[in-house]
Amino acid sequence: MGSGPAPLSGAARMTVIVILGLIAVAVAAGLAVLWPSSADHPIPMQFRSADGGPIRTVNGTVITQTRAACQNQLVGVAIDADSIPVTSTADGPCIDSTVRLDTGDDAGKLVLIQVPTNKAQSGTGPDTPKPNPATADEPQPGQPTLRIDDSIRLSASPGYDGTSRYNFYDFARGRSILVWAILFVLAIVLVAAWRGLRSVIGLAFAFAVLGVFTLPAILAGNSPVAVAVVSSALILFVVLYLAHGISMRTSSALLGTLVSLGLAGLLSWLAIKTTSITGLSGDQTMSIQLYQGTISVSGLLLAGFIIGTLGVLNDVTITQASAAFELAGAGEHSRIATFRAAMRIGRDHIASTVYTLVFAYAGSALPLLLLFSVASQPFGSLLTTDQVAIELVRAFVGGIAIALSVPLTTAIAVALVRLPAATPAGTDRMAGTPYSSTASHQSE
């Protein structure tokens, strides 16, 4: 790593181009081998309607509400009238909501949706539980809190007489999600301009890869790990070059990310094996096992680890590559000095990113931690349960991968930079060397 415009740069550039070319060919081959067939998959039980087909949903709007007795015979029946006859009771144990159907075959008709409150669980016997007076009038756990003008989705299932019966399915969030998506795009584009827009396009491409290739390929019976590796590499190739442009700076970050991703995969496999975590504690994993027992749960867990490290590794590596190129363009006259200066930036980045990583996983597991906090079990044993251990190991592996990616990417970037000519002794480096042309070479 001598000073001056050493020939290392040219050889390193050709090496990086060849390596990335070989990886790109391997990714293309992986796509061809793992590409899922167009075979139909059976619908999981929790997503089937009463007739065995997919759940049909319609949109509706809550127009009136009242308190009434439970078990009204009109619940779920579409009625073509101006109102639904309901006997209101001031302290009724159920909340009756009249919903106007906005879509579907019965659009314009009214449907009664009944939500039981905590008061409906109480009885008159000495051994029956009494609800908390503060929450007696609130919907039971798991029941929706509906208000007038709420937009909701209702599931439609065939009744015994052939007509559809409607039940609450979910809130209709399409419009609000679209508003937040537009605000997200505007914020990114206004601050980051065209580069921000390209990053948003890259994000859309990443979700398209997950939906079109990753999920169908795993459902088709392919190795979840192989699918995750190919998907991650494909996403990185497109997203990095799209957001940051085709340059040696981006190529160094891409190669550093790909190598770090491979290390993260190896570390994830080793961590899963040594900690004996299974992933079977999650309800979703159990549902997958019941739905299609051929999918490897451990492989699915490892694939999730690999894909989960994509974003944070991308953040760290592109920062390190940019730091190395900017430092060289600002006048660092040796590769060793450039490496050391970039590593000082990288150490600060590691410290902040590890906090981000751990707190993100802790936030996602917060409901679980709340339940465990009242489980009357030793804190140490709670941390080693399968559900918590998965999040801990995920954070540990991600942190190690981040720490290793910083010197690795920095070394690759430093090997690629074009250093300015050495300044004669006694000359003011900033005044005596025109760096404008040198800086322009750093993005090549």
Side-chain angles (χ1 to χ4, degrees), residues 114-117 139-146 168:
Q114 198 168 67
V115 176
T117 65
Q140 293 178 4
Q143 296 291 336
T145 300
L146 300 179
F168 175 84

Side-chain angles (χ1 to χ4, degrees), residues 16 240 248-261 263 313-325 339 342-343 401-417:
V16 168
L240 278 175
M248 280 294 111
R249 182 190 307 229
T250 308
S251 297
S252 62
L254 174 58
L255 184 56
T257 308
L258 289 171
V259 176
S260 301
L261 192 66
L263 291 174
L313 283 178
N314 174 33
D315 173 40
V316 171
T317 55
I318 197 66
T319 300
Q320 285 308 111
S322 295
F325 275 77
F339 180 83
M343 281 300 298
I402 291 170
L404 296 177
S405 69
V406 169
L408 174 63
T409 306
T410 304
I412 295 173
V414 167
L416 293 175
V417 297

